[in-house]
Amino acid sequence: MTRLFCDFPLAVGACLDLPKDTARHIMVVRLSRGEAITLFNGQGGEYRARILETGRNRVRAEIVSFSPHEVELPYEISLVQGIPEAGKMDWIIEKAAELGVHRIVPLATQRSVVRVNADRIEKRLARWQSIVVSASEQCGRNRLLAIGQPVNFDAYLQNSPEPSKIMFSPRASHSLASWATGQKPHAISLLIGPEGGFSAEEEELARQKGVTFLSMGPRILRTETAGLAAVSAINAIWEQSPL
């Protein structure tokens, strides 16, 4: 069934005109009067609706039932991603949403190739949010991955409230798999460097701040691979573990 995001309150029994972008999508996939769709607004659960009428850039629907169905992870994973070039970041955000990541923090580091200028931040955030919505419609999530404002590496370590932070290094003495197997599922943050990785100064500051260093094996992964591979590995281990 077609799933669509609506950024406004939804209620059983309501008849409403769907947003223009949503209506346009329904017209593109050629849905017609009487057909069922699923709506969600990011506040949890999903609504089954029935199309009442369609017109030029206009679709009216009636909400007929609510389901509290969720597919969220029972623990929160924050992906603190060193900002790569635009295409890679778009792909990371899309796949992170599919894998159940709770939050992404775009991280400006010493070796970041891309700098997000203040006058372009809102435009970039709007694009990333659009990617999150599309990914959530596709993968069945009823809550949207949150995207934070870009932050400098030092500021993140100084001000971040997350207690469990992980950084990856091929020189680390413990592997991600052995660490995750020995832990009960809990909220964690994964710090991923940009194309050039974290600098020696950044790694040393992370050690001083109590960040846990783990290995994902002897191979050096690309920035667009590392975080997603780590999330997948953690999910494979923790989704089988009791909370």
Side-chain angles (χ1 to χ4, degrees):
M1 187 182 300
T2 300
R3 284 173 40 83
L4 299 164
F5 176 72
C6 292
D7 190 16
F8 50 72
L10 300 172
V12 175
C15 295
L16 63 156
D17 289 332
L18 300 181
K20 288 185 178 180
D21 289 345
T22 303
R24 190 176 301 113
H25 177 80
I26 287 176
M27 300 303 293
V28 168
V29 298
R30 298 182 182 278
L31 296 180
S32 58
R33 180 179 178 181
E35 293 195 75
I37 56 176
T38 297
L39 305 176
F40 67 102
N41 60 7
Q43 302 303 309
E46 60 190 25
Y47 297 79
R48 186 183 177 109
R50 179 172 58 91
I51 297 175
L52 296 177
E53 57 181 284
T54 61
R56 185 177 179 86
N57 294 324
R58 179 177 181 270
V59 173
R60 189 163 181 80
E62 177 188 14
I63 299 177
V64 297
S65 64
F66 170 77
S67 169
H69 174 70
E70 296 287 356
V71 295
E72 296 302 300
L73 297 174
Y75 44 85
E76 293 183 357
I77 298 180
S78 294
L79 185 59
V80 186
Q81 174 68 52
I83 302 173
E85 60 92 8
K88 292 179 181 179
M89 191 65 172
D90 290 355
W91 192 83
I92 290 168
I93 289 171
E94 179 183 75
K95 301 311 172 186
E98 293 176 15
L99 289 171
V101 169
H102 174 71
R103 184 169 75 111
I104 286 183
V105 179
L107 195 66
T109 71
Q110 291 183 9
R111 294 176 178 170
S112 291
V113 176
V114 174
R115 304 291 177 182
V116 181
N117 298 325
D119 58 345
R120 298 181 60 189
I121 286 177
E122 294 307 317
K123 183 177 180 180
R124 186 68 60 87
L125 287 173
R127 173 176 173 76
W128 291 340
Q129 189 65 26
S130 175
I131 292 170
V132 169
V133 167
S134 295
S136 299
E137 290 175 337
Q138 178 272 320
C139 75
R141 290 184 72 173
N142 290 323
R143 297 180 185 272
L144 301 182
L145 177 157
I147 302 180
Q149 291 280 339
V151 62
N152 290 327
F153 182 84
D154 293 5
Y156 171 77
L157 288 183
Q158 293 288 347
N159 302 317
S160 172
E162 295 97 339
S164 186
K165 300 182 181 68
I166 295 170
M167 184 179 285
F168 298 102
S169 170
R171 299 175 295 280
S173 56
H174 293 91
S175 70
L176 172 63
S178 63
W179 177 87
T181 301
Q183 299 278 326
K184 289 186 178 181
H186 63 280
I188 58 171
S189 296
L190 306 177
L191 280 69
I192 307 298
E195 286 90 345
F198 290 114
S199 68
E201 293 83 359
E202 288 169 334
E203 289 191 3
E204 180 56 31
L205 180 59
R207 287 191 180 90
Q208 294 174 12
K209 294 295 182 180
V211 174
T212 299
F213 280 74
L214 298 174
S215 169
M216 292 182 64
R219 293 166 297 281
I220 306 299
L221 301 182
R222 292 180 180 273
T223 185
E224 66 269 31
T225 304
L228 302 176
V231 172
S232 297
I234 290 169
N235 286 346
I237 296 170
W238 281 1
E239 285 194 291
Q240 306 303 319
S241 301
L243 292 175

